[in-house]
């Protein structure tokens, strides 16, 4: 009997350990304190045996800069919120009612300092700068020094990314083409080393087997599009335009590139694509992340399949959520309509359809007595139709709980930077196909 119990405990622990490694794309993630992981336009730095995730700590109400946040993790799945490493400043390029985006951090090999670069702007995107901040520790208070300078002048650009080469040199990647090499202390710009004709926005770069890959998106604001890439055997170029890295029409599996993290696995390095699935205006809770391993073989770069769940340790596809299913096929766009279901603790998952007429739902979990434990927005909009996981709850102890999905009668819709093109949803539909109840951790 004791042996059986021991075996059961061991297999449950193994199962927990295995499951704790799963990355679920396109759904809200929770940190170790149970708060939504809020790190958009992000990057990851591997340092001191941990992964450090930096991102835009968005709000659900406005696009004004609320600070850059930092999380850390040993496995890319379980994240601890460290702190807001750069808060709203009293004034200057990241003062009140400014925009702060695409934060990128690198450790400067020469000085040992952590250098943060970002896009800073006004709310109308008419006053762009590339800003620089530094900190002696990775998760410390970053001091903002203002705009980074080239030939004594600030760079007036918006979307940006960074790349650190194997020789320790740091690069700043700019929308629509320019690549700048940073000085040895990473605090200023030494030279413009390339101009990549045909580049778009949201640049991200990595190198594998001596070949450089540069990812970029088209100019469609928060809307997704088919991102594409370039290759070069030297960072100075010539850069060769290669085409899409996800199947055409999937709109980069419904995401926009922000960074590529080289995953060191089994004597190989697998580039991990990091993308944003934006959701304006509720970016803090309803915008999600798409992280997927990429296949890079010579000039061919691809994410041939969308995995809604994958094992970060092995970079392998996982079967998606399994458990007790209830089919609902429930569709409504009437504000206040709701779908409810009871469950006995563990996790509850929501599977649903999104399309061009989708709107926001609120999803809440409460005790049987009505006390609400968690509540957040989930977006049922996507430009191209999709069916998949929309939400997986936290793991609740055994008990009586109620899941409630309510139609808000609001939608994700916005204008481009010049305020000339309207993007987003044309309806308020919430479309839930099924819910799945899981006893154990996933
Ligand atoms: C995107 C850009 C984002 C953000 C957004 C605002 O094109 O990549 O970082 O600036 O526009 O519309």
């Amino acid at each position: 009997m004791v042996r059986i119990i021991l075996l059961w405990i061991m297999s449950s622990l193994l199962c927990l350990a295995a499951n704790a490694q799963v990355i679920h794309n396109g759904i809200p993630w929770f940190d170790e304190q149970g708060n939504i992981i809020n790190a958009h336009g992000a990057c990851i730095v591997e340092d001191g045996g941990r992964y450090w995730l930096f991102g835009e700590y968005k709000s659900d109400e406005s696009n004004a800069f609320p600070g850059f946040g930092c999380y850390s993790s040993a496995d890319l799945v379980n994240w601890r919120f460290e702190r807001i490493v750069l808060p709203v400043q009293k004034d200057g390029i990241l003062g009140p009612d400014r925009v702060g985006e695409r934060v990128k951090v690198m450790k400067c090999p020469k000085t040992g300092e952590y250098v943060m670069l970002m896009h800073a702007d006004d709310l109308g995107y008419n006053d762009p700068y590339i800003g620089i901040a530094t900190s002696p520790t990775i998760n410390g208070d970053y001091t903002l020094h203002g705009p980074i300078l080239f030939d004594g002048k600030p760079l007036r650009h918006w979307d940006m990314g960074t790349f650190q080469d194997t020789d320790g040199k740091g690069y700043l990647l700019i929308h629509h083409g320019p690549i700048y090499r940073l000085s040895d202390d990473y605090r200023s710009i030494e030279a413009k080393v390339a101009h990549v004709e045909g580049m778009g926005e949201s640049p991200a770069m990595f190198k594998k087997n001596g070949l450089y890959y540069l990812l970029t998106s088209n100019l469609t604001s928060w809307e997704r599009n088919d991102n594409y890439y370039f290759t070069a055997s030297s960072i100075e170029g010539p850069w060769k335009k290669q085409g899409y890295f996800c199947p055409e029409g999937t709109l980069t599996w419904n995401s926009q590139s922000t960074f590529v993290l080289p995953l060191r696995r089994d004597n190989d390095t697998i580039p991990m694509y990091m993308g944003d699935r934006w959701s304006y205006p509720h970016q803090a809770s309803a915008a999600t992340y798409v992280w997927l391993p990429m296949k890079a073989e010579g000039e061919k770069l691809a994410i041939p399949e969308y995995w809604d769940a994958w094992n970060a340790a092995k970079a392998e596809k996982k079967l998606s959520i399994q458990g007790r299913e209830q089919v609902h096929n429930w569709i409504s766009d009437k504000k206040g309509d709701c779908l409810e279901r009871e469950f006995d603790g563990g996790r509850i998952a929501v599977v649903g359809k999104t399309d061009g007429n989708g709107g926001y739902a609120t999803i809440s979990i409460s005790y049987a007595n009505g006390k609400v434990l968690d509540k957040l927005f989930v977006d049922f909009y996507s430009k191209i139709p999709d069916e998949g996981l929309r939400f997986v709850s936290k793991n609740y102890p055994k008990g009586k709980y109620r899941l409630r999905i309510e139609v808000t009668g609001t939608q994700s819709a916005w204008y481009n930077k010049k305020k000339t093109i309207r993007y987003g949803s044309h309806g308020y539909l919430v479309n839930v196909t099924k819910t799945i109840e899981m006893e154990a951790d996933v």
Side-chain angles (χ1 to χ4, degrees):
M1 183 64 182
V2 175
R3 243 181 96 197
I4 294 177
I5 293 175
L6 270 177
L7 274 174
W8 178 79
I9 292 176
M10 272 170 64
S11 67
S12 319
L13 282 176
L14 274 176
C15 172
L16 267 180
N19 285 333
Q21 295 283 316
V22 177
I23 292 180
H24 283 112
N25 283 316
I27 60 169
W29 297 343
F30 300 102
D31 67 14
E32 286 174 0
Q33 285 79 46
N35 298 315
I36 282 194
I37 295 184
N38 192 349
H40 307 272
C43 74
I44 291 178
V45 181
E46 218 183 323
D47 191 66
R50 280 182 86 72
Y51 296 105
W52 304 85
L53 171 71
F54 293 87
E56 302 162 22
Y57 198 83
K58 292 274 194 211
S59 86
D60 267 349
E61 289 77 39
S62 98
N63 200 32
F65 173 64
F68 294 131
C70 173
Y71 295 79
S72 77
S73 166
D75 57 13
L76 293 172
V77 177
N78 299 286
W79 292 97
R80 177 203 302 157
F81 178 62
E82 296 284 334
R83 61 215 303 242
I84 297 292
V85 284
L86 188 79
V88 181
Q89 308 286 292
K90 267 210 255 12
D91 47 33
I93 60 170
L94 287 177
D97 291 325
R98 297 275 303 178
V99 160
E101 293 180 347
R102 299 198 169 271
V103 54
K104 300 287 174 279
V105 172
M106 295 185 290
K107 182 177 184 173
C108 175
K110 177 144 182 243
T111 60
E113 201 172 43
Y114 295 88
V115 178
M116 175 188 275
L117 297 170
M118 80 289 294
H119 163 208
D121 219 320
D122 67 13
L123 280 171
Y125 291 96
N126 290 315
D127 188 30
Y129 288 98
I130 306 300
I132 176 166
T134 57
S135 166
T137 54
I138 193 158
N139 57 352
D141 290 321
Y142 281 73
T143 306
L144 182 66
H145 303 292
I148 192 166
L149 304 179
F150 178 40
D151 277 345
K153 288 191 286 287
L155 285 185
R156 309 301 305 265
H157 296 299
W158 66 92
D159 271 21
M160 43 71 68
T162 57
F163 172 68
Q164 189 167 40
D165 210 342
T166 35
D167 61 4
K169 295 222 180 306
Y171 294 88
L172 171 63
L173 320 168
I174 296 289
H175 65 94
H176 298 107
I179 299 179
Y180 293 99
R181 189 173 62 239
L182 301 177
S183 54
D184 279 354
D185 65 3
Y186 283 15
R187 281 190 174 221
S188 64
I189 291 166
E190 196 171 75
K192 182 172 174 186
V193 296
H195 191 100
V196 187
E197 282 310 324
M199 266 289 290
E201 290 196 314
S202 66
M205 188 185 286
F206 70 97
K207 179 163 111 175
K208 186 163 178 178
N209 298 332
L211 196 64
Y212 295 84
Y213 299 76
L214 176 58
L215 279 56
T216 184
S217 77
N218 292 293
L219 186 72
T220 57
S221 184
W222 310 113
E223 187 58 274
R224 274 65 72 186
N225 57 60
D226 285 321
N227 293 188
Y228 53 103
Y229 72 105
F230 296 79
T231 56
S233 47
S234 153
I235 205 158
E236 281 90 23
W239 285 92
K240 185 168 163 195
K241 190 170 177 180
Q242 297 286 0
Y244 306 131
F245 54 87
C246 294
E248 187 174 358
T250 66
L251 311 187
T252 323
W253 298 120
N254 200 9
S255 72
Q256 183 191 23
S257 64
T258 179
F259 195 70
V260 177
L261 174 72
L263 286 183
R264 286 179 286 105
R265 300 284 182 269
D266 297 336
N267 303 324
D268 191 14
T269 304
I270 301 167
M272 182 182 85
Y273 166 82
M274 293 169 60
D276 291 288
R277 192 172 283 177
W278 302 108
S279 180
Y280 187 83
H282 297 313
Q283 307 270 30
S285 54
T288 57
Y289 313 100
V290 175
W291 292 1
L292 286 164
M294 308 184 91
K295 285 201 172 120
E297 282 157 11
E299 291 187 343
K300 277 215 156 26
L301 177 68
I303 311 177
E305 251 194 327
Y306 181 72
W307 296 345
D308 61 6
W310 62 282
N311 182 302
K314 299 192 187 131
E316 276 172 11
K317 182 178 180 166
K318 271 280 285 179
L319 275 183
S320 199
I321 305 293
Q322 284 165 315
R324 280 204 301 280
E325 284 190 19
Q326 241 181 54
V327 174
H328 303 285
N329 290 328
W330 183 84
I331 308 176
S332 170
D333 62 359
K334 202 166 147 259
K335 185 176 173 190
D337 264 7
C338 66
L339 168 72
E340 291 192 314
R341 170 187 171 168
E342 298 193 334
F343 67 105
D344 298 325
R347 289 177 197 261
I348 187 94
V350 176
V351 178
K353 291 184 181 165
T354 59
D355 64 21
N357 292 312
Y360 284 113
T362 54
I363 293 192
S364 54
I365 311 284
S366 49
Y367 285 133
N369 68 10
K371 184 175 181 269
V372 178
L373 297 168
D374 287 301
K375 187 170 179 179
L376 50 89
F377 288 106
V378 170
D379 194 353
F380 283 79
Y381 165 74
S382 63
K383 189 176 174 196
I384 45 150
D386 177 55
E387 177 171 8
L389 264 189
R390 304 272 84 95
F391 172 76
V392 178
S393 76
K394 295 175 199 165
N395 194 38
Y396 298 100
K398 245 191 152 1
K400 290 278 166 221
Y401 299 86
R402 182 177 288 268
L403 163 80
R404 183 184 160 95
I405 305 170
E406 183 171 333
V407 180
T408 64
T410 62
Q411 59 187 194
S412 178
W414 68 96
Y415 282 87
N416 64 336
K417 290 187 171 83
K418 290 194 179 125
K419 305 271 179 288
T420 49
I421 306 170
R422 182 199 187 273
Y423 288 105
S425 178
H426 294 281
Y428 306 102
L429 279 176
V430 173
N431 189 335
V432 177
T433 42
K434 59 186 179 188
T435 53
I436 309 168
E437 183 178 351
M438 287 151 289
E439 277 165 21
D441 229 335
V442 287

